[in-house]
Amino acid sequence: MTRVIRFHRPGGPEVLRIEEVELAPPGPGEIAIRVKALGLNRAEALMRAGAYIETPPLPSGIGLEAAGVVESVGEGVTALAPGDAVSLIPPISMARWPVHGERVNFPASYVVRHPSSLGWEQAAALWMAYLTAYGALVEIAGLRRGEVAVVTAASSSVGLAAIQIANRIGATPVAMTRTSAKRRALLDAGAAHVIATGEEDVSARLADITANAGARVVFDAVGGSLVEPLTASMARGGLLIEYGGLSREPTPFPLPQVLSKTLTLRGYLVHEVVGNPDWLARAKAFILQGVEAGALRPEIARTFAFEQIVEAHRYLESNEQFGKIVVML
């Protein structure tokens, strides 16, 4: 038996329960992991609330990220062995492979030996954020040295990963956040410029930063009314990559800007990287090299104990965090 986090009905953080379930031995191509740390993501809050892209059968497990120690391996697994310290790449299906528990089985093909320079907290916070940012900025946008990359929701774990990746490429990351409260922290985290969207004229600031040339690449998790000043500030032929919808406002379609500037507005999910073997191989190499060089390092906002999972989800939904929320076992 092992303890896992499950929910029996959609709802707020209070629907999460810690329950004992029986864990079968790992099947062919799987490994069994003793979990040391869990990374929290908004996707988990969405699935718990019944608003995710995947609707699980209930009761359902939950969780996309974890790090721990290999306990045993299933038939056909040769690249990993008991005792290996590993972290998990987010699976395509959270309902099929929920990882928030004390012990879990997981496909060996999505398991990575993480660098020894990372502690359990950082290892559990690595893959969702950096794969998401890498796929958008490198594989889709082809961000180049010297270019400006606009990053909204910049204090999130994905936003901070995007800032670090842009800097590693040699681009100029412009961080957007709602208020100036996190300005100093974002500058310390590597942002070249910070724009407080609730306090400043977004279009005017971006025009000043880009010397009126506009930004070719915008990486947006917000949507809503922010889309209009963003697209108004983009360069001709620019690309806006939308990977979230944090705003509760309707998102207008900026037809005049799209037509006049021949813009591309593109939806994006990290599943595009996880489901593409070539992209995933390049992403793993880029991220691991960046970690070993000290250029890529997850920012941990706060840690909680396993028994505090409800409080951890409440903190996730408070939007107060700067970086990743991690649950320790």
Side-chain angles (χ1 to χ4, degrees):
M1 302 295 289
T2 188
R3 294 194 303 166
V4 300
I5 296 164
R6 298 204 301 177
F7 61 100
H8 291 248
R9 60 180 176 85
E14 69 281 355
V15 303
L16 295 174
R17 302 181 186 178
I18 296 175
E19 300 181 334
E20 285 201 351
V21 300
E22 187 172 355
L23 184 70
E30 296 178 350
I31 63 170
I33 301 163
R34 168 69 67 176
V35 175
K36 298 290 188 179
L38 313 171
L40 263 59
N41 296 279
R42 291 192 181 276
E44 290 136 12
L46 288 171
M47 191 166 91
R48 184 209 70 221
Y52 190 47
I53 57 174
E54 182 178 22
T55 302
L58 298 175
S60 174
I62 199 168
L64 287 166
E65 284 188 286
V69 178
V70 177
E71 283 195 328
S72 60
V73 302
E75 181 183 349
V77 177
T78 58
L80 296 162
D84 284 346
V86 295
S87 48
L88 308 183
I89 288 173
I92 296 292
S93 171
M94 191 188 336
R96 173 67 183 87
W97 301 107
V99 300
H100 285 185
E102 291 179 325
R103 293 169 57 239
V104 297
N105 292 332
F106 202 72
S109 56
Y110 290 150
V111 175
V112 183
R113 288 194 192 89
H114 62 258
S116 58
S117 60
L118 290 183
W120 294 118
E121 297 97 326
Q122 285 77 23
L126 185 64
W127 292 108
M128 173 62 90
Y130 287 87
L131 285 174
T132 301
Y134 170 90
L137 298 181
V138 179
E139 294 291 349
I140 294 173
L143 184 65
R144 299 182 289 266
R145 176 177 294 276
E147 287 192 310
V148 168
V150 177
V151 179
T152 70
S155 62
S156 68
S157 58
V158 176
L160 293 169
I163 290 170
Q164 294 178 12
I165 288 172
N167 279 323
R168 184 153 176 80
I169 291 169
T172 300
V174 177
M176 289 194 173
T177 184
R178 288 175 300 162
T179 73
S180 56
K182 297 177 181 177
R183 184 185 302 275
R184 182 71 260 165
L186 285 166
L187 291 170
D188 291 343
H193 306 274
V194 177
I195 300 174
T197 59
E199 302 171 6
E200 301 178 75
D201 184 323
V202 171
S203 295
R205 282 293 315 279
L206 284 174
D208 181 60
I209 290 166
T210 64
N212 293 314
R216 184 180 70 84
V217 178
V218 175
F219 186 41
D220 181 41
V222 179
S225 60
L226 185 60
V227 167
E228 291 190 316
L230 284 174
T231 52
S233 308
M234 291 175 68
R236 184 174 179 82
L239 172 64
L240 187 150
I241 300 173
E242 192 69 49
Y243 75 99
L246 295 177
S247 175
R248 295 183 180 180
E249 301 173 334
T251 300
F253 184 77
L255 184 62
Q257 292 89 351
V258 169
L259 289 177
S260 63
K261 297 183 178 184
T262 63
L263 301 180
T264 298
L265 278 57
R266 187 193 193 284
Y268 164 68
L269 294 172
V270 71
H271 297 163
E272 294 185 58
V273 181
V274 176
N276 184 318
D278 292 337
W279 285 21
L280 184 57
R282 290 195 293 267
K284 287 164 62 176
F286 180 97
I287 293 165
L288 292 174
Q289 288 166 9
V291 168
E292 298 213 355
L296 306 181
R297 188 166 186 85
E299 179 81 28
I300 305 302
R302 187 173 167 186
T303 60
F304 290 82
F306 187 67
E307 291 74 16
Q308 295 176 302
I309 188 61
V310 171
E311 291 88 341
H313 269 246
R314 286 184 178 137
Y315 185 62
L316 174 69
E317 295 187 337
S318 74
N319 295 320
E320 295 176 5
Q321 68 271 24
F322 188 88
K324 193 79 162 187
I325 301 167
V326 174
V327 173
M328 302 298 295
L329 287 86

